[in-house]
Amino acid sequence: MDKPKVVLGVSGGIAAYKACELLRRLTESGHEVRVVPTASALHFVGAATWSALSGNPVSTEVWDDVHEVPHVRIGQHADLVVVAPATADTLAKAAHGLADDLLTNTLLTARCPVVFAPAMHTEMWEHPATQENVATLRRRGALVIEPAVGRLTGVDTGKGRLPDPGEIFEVCRRVLARGVTEPDLRGRHVVVSAGGTREPLDPVRFLGNRSSGKQGYALARTAAARGARVTLIAANSTLPAPAGVDVVPVGTAVQLREAVLRAAPEADAVVMAAAVADFRPAAYAAGKIKKKDGQEPEPITLVRNPDILAEISADRARPGQVIVGFAAETDDVLANGRAKLKRKGCDLLVVNEVGELKTFGSEENEAVVLGTDGSETAVAHGPKEALAETVWDLVAERLS
Ligand SMILES: Cc1cc2nc3c(=O)[nH]c(=O)nc-3n(C[C@H](O)[C@H](O)[C@H](O)COP(=O)(O)O)c2cc1C
């Protein structure tokens, strides 16, 4: 089988060096990559680097190898075009259809999915001109990844940083796998909770659970790659932030509830994949609980935590909002799942079997998604990403 053909456009931002890592990931995972830098990009990383790492010739202008008509051919043959970093200037040219170098010509001739990963100073990103250009590109079907917040060129910090190249690669991989040119969750805002809450007993101890956050992160990554604006409420997870996703870190069930209630009013869909503790210690000891000679420890009294899924399902923040719950069951999985779907009042319930060595922390999952309409969608054992795609397919059906 032919290798998928990827065009990596690189424009003239300080983050151009990070595109070398993206290029490596793409070539090492079996993609044929043609790098098309702008002339400005070559001030940051030279043509020799792009050519040697990609194994392909590199030009910035339409005047090289004219007999091969590269200004048309490169775009026409691409399965994916990703521009990383995308400068304010390149976004503006793309939005207005300018074609004064090889990259902008390629963007006009490509009929495959196009991904832009903008990177620039916060002022440039927030400027109405840039925001309108981004909106135009999104309206036309391009996937424009929200920049990350963090250190920029020099000492500045703010929104405008290029997301981690590994995470941009994950977006590219998912977009290529779907093979559709229009991101179907474009214009949608989704909230995903992930990880496991921790309920403190004293300053050093907590009651927790085995959730790693991998399923919730897979849901967030997949939704972003399908064009959604994603708020990821992450309980105690150390996983890398997915590209373009707004991560809200939380610790306890009560904090998670507050974050969900804050984000839900703007959300078209809420997917509650976090493992939220049902109970928390009734009392919190301000100092570390000590062993006392000859005495048995005090029993721990628990109180119930709020039931966030039932609460947001009963009192929808928006009409038509789709709410998805997860049920981790150890036995009688489907029967318990059906009862839980009724009790919680959500639209979809992802039922999976968990155990000490099952699902938690694993890269794989298998589940049945139950719908209030009586539907049952079985997802075979496979990567958590596959389950995430099915969940978003079912959510997208309900949103439309
Ligand atoms: C040191 C330096 C860093 C720059 N970093 C960025 C950047 O991160 N993002 C951006 O949009 N422009 C940045 N610029 C400005 C662009 O290089 C400039 O707008 C250029 O015309 C972009 O051309 P291109 O879009 O054809 O690559 C930077 C310029 C310099 C000198």
Side-chain angles (χ1 to χ4, degrees):
M1 230 172 73
D2 280 351
K3 289 179 173 182
K5 292 187 180 59
V6 176
V7 173
L8 171 59
V10 183
S11 51
I14 199 80
Y17 73 95
K18 293 189 187 171
C20 299
E21 170 69 16
L22 176 58
L23 171 56
R24 266 256 188 259
R25 299 245 181 169
L26 287 165
T27 53
E28 281 174 10
S29 53
H31 301 88
E32 174 71 28
V33 187
R34 174 84 193 230
V35 182
V36 183
T38 63
S40 300
L42 296 188
H43 286 287
F44 296 92
V45 179
T49 301
W50 302 122
S51 189
L53 288 179
S54 67
N56 276 314
V58 164
S59 340
T60 60
E61 303 303 326
V62 295
W63 307 113
D64 298 329
D65 303 315
V66 174
H67 63 288
E68 289 181 354
V69 205
H71 76 286
V72 177
R73 198 181 49 85
I74 295 174
Q76 277 178 340
H77 287 89
D79 297 305
L80 173 77
V81 177
V82 51
V83 185
T87 57
D89 176 64
T90 291
L91 292 172
K93 284 180 176 168
H96 289 87
L98 300 189
D100 62 353
D101 64 5
L102 190 56
L103 177 57
T104 45
N105 276 271
T106 300
L107 286 167
L108 285 182
T109 50
R111 292 294 175 270
C112 58
V114 177
V115 175
F116 291 93
M120 63 199 72
H121 263 78
T122 312
E123 292 85 342
M124 291 174 89
W125 172 250
E126 288 178 348
H127 195 285
T130 305
Q131 287 301 306
E132 281 172 30
N133 291 330
V134 167
T136 300
L137 292 167
R138 284 185 175 148
R139 202 180 57 247
R140 290 191 196 132
L143 183 74
V144 184
I145 302 174
E146 284 291 306
V149 175
R151 183 83 187 267
L152 304 170
T153 320
V155 294
D156 307 4
T157 299
K159 187 163 183 173
R161 193 176 154 83
L162 189 75
D164 180 65
E167 291 296 328
I168 300 175
F169 168 72
E170 288 299 322
V171 172
C172 294
R173 208 170 55 70
R174 282 166 171 74
V175 170
L176 266 168
R178 279 182 67 71
V180 292
T181 42
E182 299 262 325
D184 65 340
L185 294 175
R186 166 179 60 169
R188 301 293 190 183
H189 179 200
V190 303
V191 174
V192 177
S193 72
T197 59
R198 290 179 180 178
E199 308 299 323
L201 264 172
D202 69 14
V204 295
R205 301 183 181 96
F206 57 81
L207 294 182
N209 61 63
R210 293 179 189 275
S211 174
S212 63
K214 286 179 184 167
Q215 184 62 66
Y217 273 64
L219 281 153
R221 238 180 228 113
T222 305
R226 288 169 70 157
R229 178 155 81 85
V230 184
T231 304
L232 174 62
I233 300 170
N236 307 298
S237 181
T238 51
L239 297 171
V245 167
D246 185 16
V247 181
V248 181
V250 293
T252 64
V254 168
Q255 289 167 357
L256 193 136
R257 174 180 175 271
E258 282 163 14
V260 169
L261 295 186
R262 237 189 340 266
E266 280 192 34
D268 296 294
V270 183
V271 180
M272 294 287 292
V276 182
D278 290 326
F279 313 106
R280 66 176 182 276
Y284 172 75
K288 185 181 171 195
I289 301 168
K290 299 264 194 236
K291 264 189 299 202
K292 290 189 190 127
D293 281 347
Q295 283 184 24
E296 287 303 309
E298 293 286 321
I300 299 167
T301 308
L302 299 175
V303 292
R304 286 178 89 109
N305 266 328
D307 187 336
I308 310 167
L309 180 59
E311 182 179 350
I312 60 169
S313 301
D315 190 10
R316 305 268 167 151
R318 290 174 73 153
Q321 186 177 63
V322 178
I323 297 181
V324 185
F326 269 68
E329 302 287 346
T330 51
D331 35 36
D332 255 346
V333 176
L334 271 188
N336 283 335
R338 281 194 200 97
K340 186 168 176 180
L341 177 64
K342 254 204 195 114
R343 218 171 44 242
K344 300 284 183 180
C346 52
D347 303 290
L348 295 163
L349 190 75
V350 183
V351 187
N352 54 7
E353 194 174 343
V354 295
E356 260 185 57
L357 299 173
K358 203 162 184 186
T359 302
F360 283 141
S362 141
E363 300 301 329
E364 271 134 28
N365 209 346
E366 88 183 73
V368 178
V369 189
L370 305 176
T372 40
D373 52 1
S375 62
E376 279 186 17
T377 312
V379 182
H381 187 81
K384 288 185 171 173
E385 177 185 338
L387 175 57
E389 293 283 8
T390 302
V391 169
W392 292 123
D393 287 345
L394 296 168
V395 169
E397 257 172 40
R398 279 155 181 79
L399 283 174
S400 63

